[in-house]
Amino acid sequence: MPIKSAVAILALIALAGCHFGQLPDPNAKAAKTSKYDGKALQANVLQVNKMLTDRQVRGEIDGVAKRQILHRYIREQLQGVDKSKIPADQAWRFGDVYRQLDDWRSTNELYMEAVKVATENKDEDRRVNDSLRLAESMAHLGDVEGGIKEVRSTFDAAPTGKAPILMATLYEFAPAALGQGRDLDIARLLEDAIDQHMHTIVDPETEAGKDFMRARHYHVRRAWEAVIRIYRMQGTDEQLRSAIEQSDEMLRKFVSV
């Protein structure tokens, strides 16, 4: 998806300061690329986000400025996009971009469509990932109960397809859902997501598989810490003791391997 306006790019550069880096060519493939090309849109947003991250690492901008510039860029890219005209097979890609704007209502609509498409196409990888993103948007919109059900809908994935479940539940869904009156349910969900993580099967010969195995202990420990913290704050002594015992037993197994 082409950048729509050279003027908009110049405005972004002015806002960010000098040495922005190489932005996508505003005229590249302009005649050939549709504004509903979600793959190109994702690629452009990823490129700009990387440039901004590099500038933040160098201390040229802070996190607030990075977020403002990225949001402004994305809004420019989405000008003229009618969500009702987004092709169904592109819904998850546009959902990803609207998610970066914290536009949770649009994100929710798009991921609902994406889950439907993935289910119809029997695309398990997309079904799991899109369901988890849908759950996050539901939590942001106040439907924590629906979000919990959506996360649990991924538990029937094959062991080779369970890898995203714990990370999405721990780092995306739970932070959005906590404090809305369902914290104990979220703690139980996290416990079950840990179990899903432990039953995940990866290929240890691939780099992705090696990375998963190296990080498994860390993410499981973080998840148990979150569970224990919730039970402690809720004053549920029996559940707290059980979580501490299960956590200690599981983490000892990692050490002994």
Side-chain angles (χ1 to χ4, degrees):
M1 181 177 188
I3 299 179
K4 294 175 182 282
S5 166
V7 174
I9 298 173
L10 292 173
L12 287 172
I13 295 172
L15 179 61
C18 302
H19 312 300
F20 189 92
Q22 181 63 44
L23 280 164
D25 182 350
N27 299 309
K29 300 182 182 179
K32 298 180 180 180
T33 309
S34 165
K35 64 184 175 182
Y36 295 107
D37 184 344
K39 186 175 182 180
L41 173 62
Q42 282 183 307
N44 281 353
V45 171
L46 179 64
Q47 183 179 357
V48 171
N49 187 48
K50 182 180 183 302
M51 294 172 190
L52 292 171
T53 298
D54 290 344
R55 290 207 61 206
Q56 184 181 5
V57 169
R58 293 196 299 267
E60 297 172 5
I61 58 173
D62 60 17
V64 173
K66 174 190 172 184
R67 185 181 181 85
Q68 290 174 341
I69 298 165
L70 182 63
H71 280 197
R72 186 172 175 179
Y73 175 81
I74 293 174
R75 289 191 186 99
E76 172 67 20
Q77 294 300 287
L78 291 172
Q79 281 185 8
V81 170
D82 181 345
K83 291 195 297 294
S84 68
K85 295 180 180 179
I86 294 173
D89 65 350
Q90 299 289 299
W92 73 271
R93 296 185 184 277
F94 278 84
D96 177 67
V97 174
Y98 277 99
R99 177 177 178 267
Q100 294 182 66
L101 280 178
D102 298 330
D103 183 345
W104 298 110
R105 195 160 300 282
S106 295
T107 301
N108 189 72
E109 293 172 6
L110 290 161
Y111 273 110
M112 284 184 68
E113 179 67 20
V115 171
K116 179 182 176 182
V117 170
T119 302
E120 291 174 349
N121 293 339
K122 301 187 185 311
D123 185 340
E124 278 293 280
D125 180 64
R126 285 260 53 90
R127 180 185 72 89
V128 171
N129 281 280
D130 296 346
S131 294
L132 293 168
R133 287 288 168 83
L134 175 58
E136 179 194 18
S137 69
M138 294 171 80
H140 279 286
L141 294 172
D143 185 8
V144 176
E145 181 178 2
I148 291 172
K149 290 178 181 178
E150 199 63 39
V151 173
R152 290 191 178 280
S153 77
T154 67
F155 288 4
D156 65 355
T160 53
K162 294 180 183 291
I165 294 174
L166 178 61
M167 262 70 79
T169 306
L170 175 61
Y171 299 117
E172 296 172 357
F173 177 76
L178 285 168
Q180 298 189 55
R182 302 297 297 268
D183 287 10
L184 289 177
D185 292 331
I186 294 167
R188 287 188 283 269
L189 178 68
L190 281 167
E191 289 193 67
D192 292 340
I194 292 169
D195 183 64
Q196 293 294 309
H197 198 67
M198 297 303 295
H199 284 89
T200 301
I201 295 175
V202 297
D203 183 350
E205 299 303 316
T206 66
E207 285 305 312
K210 292 175 184 177
D211 289 343
F212 179 90
M213 297 303 294
R214 282 192 290 263
R216 180 176 251 171
H217 176 272
Y218 173 80
H219 295 302
V220 168
R221 177 172 57 81
R222 289 288 303 274
W224 276 118
E225 289 171 353
V227 170
I228 290 168
R229 184 164 57 251
I230 293 169
Y231 285 145
R232 183 170 287 125
M233 292 177 66
Q234 295 295 316
T236 54
D237 293 343
E238 183 176 343
Q239 289 167 306
L240 174 61
R241 283 194 297 271
S242 175
I244 291 173
E245 290 172 0
Q246 291 181 73
S247 171
D248 288 345
E249 180 180 357
M250 187 175 291
L251 294 176
R252 276 198 299 270
K253 289 179 180 179
F254 280 111
V255 174
S256 63
V257 172

